[in-house]
Amino acid sequence: ILMNYCIVMKYSAKENCYIVTVPDLLGCMADGRTPNEAFENVKNVISEWIETARAASRKIPETSFGIENF
């Protein structure tokens, strides 16, 4: 699966972890103790989000910001 989705990573001092959201995929988010762990986790969650959407015959949003914008 090509993953050109924009992600937003923030550190949560309250939760003591990094939180990653994927704005184009409603509700798609992950966390991790390190930035790298959070990034690896969100890659898995993106794949699962897309698989679930396909199984439910839901439309998979186009990325609003991909490599083609560079």
Side-chain angles (χ1 to χ4, degrees), residues 9-23:
M9 183 179 295
K10 296 180 181 178
Y11 180 74
S12 171
K14 180 180 176 183
E15 302 295 327
N16 194 31
C17 67
Y18 291 86
I19 300 171
V20 181
T21 58
V22 186

Side-chain angles (χ1 to χ4, degrees), residues 6-49:
C6 176
I7 64 168
V8 177
M9 183 179 295
K10 296 180 181 178
Y11 180 74
S12 171
K14 180 180 176 183
E15 302 295 327
N16 194 31
C17 67
Y18 291 86
I19 300 171
V20 181
T21 58
V22 186
D24 291 328
L25 305 177
L26 185 62
C28 187
M29 59 189 310
D31 64 7
R33 290 169 289 155
T34 65
N36 192 49
E37 181 180 285
F39 180 67
E40 292 302 316
N41 290 343
V42 84
K43 288 193 301 185
N44 292 330
V45 173
I46 290 169
S47 293
E48 292 169 2
W49 195 102

